[in-house]
DNA sequence: GGCACTTTTGCAACTAGTTGCATAAGGTTC
DNA sequence: GAACCTTATGCAACTAGTTGCAAAAGTGCC
């Protein structure tokens, strides 16, 4: 039940159309909760029917932009969700699983795949760090900024973990790797 | 497409019935890929139909245990999957999202929830460390052990990340916390 | 005005995961 | 032997997420 709340958050930050939301998801909220435009349109429909958001009075035709804004009930629902109790979700990463399968059937081809992931995570980490430098200079320190910054630091921490773990994994698979990590076996 | 492969791995480690698998998932593979008994039974059926596993010749009646073992095709499929290319999955953690929502609608009730998660992650971390001490003493160091150990170290790394991040988050929400973290506001 | 292209919204069908419940066999207790 | 518990398998219905495609409107070009 997270997607509707992710959408409410995004709409509170700025009223938007479905496509705008989809685009904004791709480069901010989507880092932690990705969604396709299909999911977003469907959810916007549900949220509107539930009376949590409404379409701004404009063209309701097919190829026409339709902007939504959050209603008081929507804000209340989001506020309640923030305090809600929820179990942390277990990890569910296929790569950890594949590593374990490799202990049984052998590591053939795995090193290549680990290197690929390592590269992707290093890129993502660099992107987060760039955002951090751009959006959170030391002088900005309102309460909202501090919260948003902590979220970003979560992303940085996770990517840091993955790069470290993948490096360790590569050694265990039998292929130690240099910093740029492209020496084929 | 990970569940069937998780099951193949578990069955290669030891032929089992559906319920046994479900139980073993709860305390090893399930740390990284949880599954309910329903999912497992359904998947066992599919894997059998696909000729990747077979039921050991025994009672095929309803309330009767039915053990499965992996066939050569199954092992081959698992082996191929280990080398397969796959995108790392984005994070999808509701707590990160809630943190961000809190920047918009306020942090009421959030500290409590963070403290609860912090507690859960600390417990999980302790559990992993206990397993590490029990199952991976320095002298055991076969190739399989090294791989399984790395997987466990992944779990340890993740839980370490979460406990650190949650502590940081708690400060940002405005409630610094002691190590045992139970001082109510 | 016709053609191609982009933007935007959306339906339909599918896969994966979850929840609730039913059914059967076997053991325990009185 | 009836009532009850545990072990074990499984169906059905649901929710969430994904993929592929279609349709309406605007934009540019000749």
């Amino acid at each position: 039940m997270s997607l509707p709340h992710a959408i409410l958050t995004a709409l509170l930050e700025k009223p938007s159309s479905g496509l705008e939301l989809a685009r904004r998801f791709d480069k901010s909220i989507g880092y932690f909760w990705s969604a396709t435009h299909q999911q977003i349109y469907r959810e916007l429909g549900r949220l509107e029917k539930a009376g949590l958001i409404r379409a701004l009075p404009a063209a309701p035709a097919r190829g026409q932009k339709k902007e939504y804004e959050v209603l008081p009930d929507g804000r209340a629902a989001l506020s309640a969700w923030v305090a809600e109790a929820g179990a942390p979700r277990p990890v569910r990463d296929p790569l950890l699983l594949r590593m374990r399968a490799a202990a049984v059937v052998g590591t053939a081809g795995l090193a290549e795949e680990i290197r690929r992931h390592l590269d992707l995570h290093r890129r993502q980490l660099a992107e987060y760090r760039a955002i951090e430098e751009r959006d959170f200079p030391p002088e900005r320190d309102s309460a909202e900024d501090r919260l948003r910054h902590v979220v970003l630091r979560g992303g940085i921490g996770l990517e840091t973990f993955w790069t470290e773990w993948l490096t360790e994994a590569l050694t265990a698979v039998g292929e130690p790797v240099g910093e740029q990590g492209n020496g084929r076996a």
Side-chain angles (χ1 to χ4, degrees), chain A:
Chain A
M1 302 296 288
S2 294
L3 180 58
H5 301 103
I7 291 177
L8 286 171
T9 304
L11 285 182
L12 278 169
E13 285 169 359
K14 179 173 180 312
S16 311
S17 69
L19 203 63
E20 270 165 31
L21 277 178
R23 287 210 244 270
R24 284 170 55 204
F25 262 66
D26 281 347
K27 56 189 167 71
S28 89
I29 290 187
Y31 288 142
F32 306 114
W33 201 277
S34 62
T36 61
H37 69 124
Q38 297 303 345
Q39 274 177 282
I40 289 169
Y41 281 122
R42 194 194 317 181
E43 207 58 51
L44 283 170
R46 284 182 196 156
L47 286 168
E48 188 176 24
K49 195 146 60 171
L52 302 187
I53 62 174
R54 71 161 180 192
L56 294 180
R62 182 119 180 179
Q64 293 277 327
K65 194 192 277 199
K66 202 158 118 197
E67 290 225 311
Y68 290 92
E69 68 175 2
V70 179
L71 295 172
D73 277 6
R75 176 179 280 266
L78 186 60
S79 200
W81 179 72
V82 166
E84 213 167 85
R89 17 182 70 209
V91 188
R92 255 168 216 269
D93 190 287
L95 201 52
L96 284 156
L97 227 49
R98 287 204 253 172
M99 202 73 187
R100 185 162 172 150
V104 181
V105 297
T107 59
L110 190 52
E112 191 101 356
E113 178 65 359
I114 294 176
R115 240 183 260 117
R116 216 172 51 80
H117 280 238
L118 186 52
D119 187 52
L120 289 167
H121 285 290
R122 286 214 258 244
R123 272 175 219 279
Q124 189 66 54
L125 180 54
E127 192 176 333
Y128 286 158
R129 287 221 233 257
I131 295 175
E132 187 178 31
E133 243 179 88
R134 169 164 54 82
D135 292 353
F136 300 99
E139 64 274 17
R140 288 188 58 185
D141 199 41
S142 67
E144 298 87 59
D145 279 337
R146 235 180 311 132
L147 287 170
R148 273 192 268 264
H149 192 179
V150 165
V151 175
L152 181 60
R153 296 209 41 83
I156 291 175
L158 274 170
E159 296 302 330
T160 303
F161 157 73
W162 282 114
T163 56
E164 285 169 3
W165 182 76
L166 286 165
T167 305
E168 199 180 327
L170 210 45
T171 320
V173 163
E175 307 215 11
V177 72
E179 269 310 291
Q180 290 320 305
N182 226 348
R184 296 297 175 95

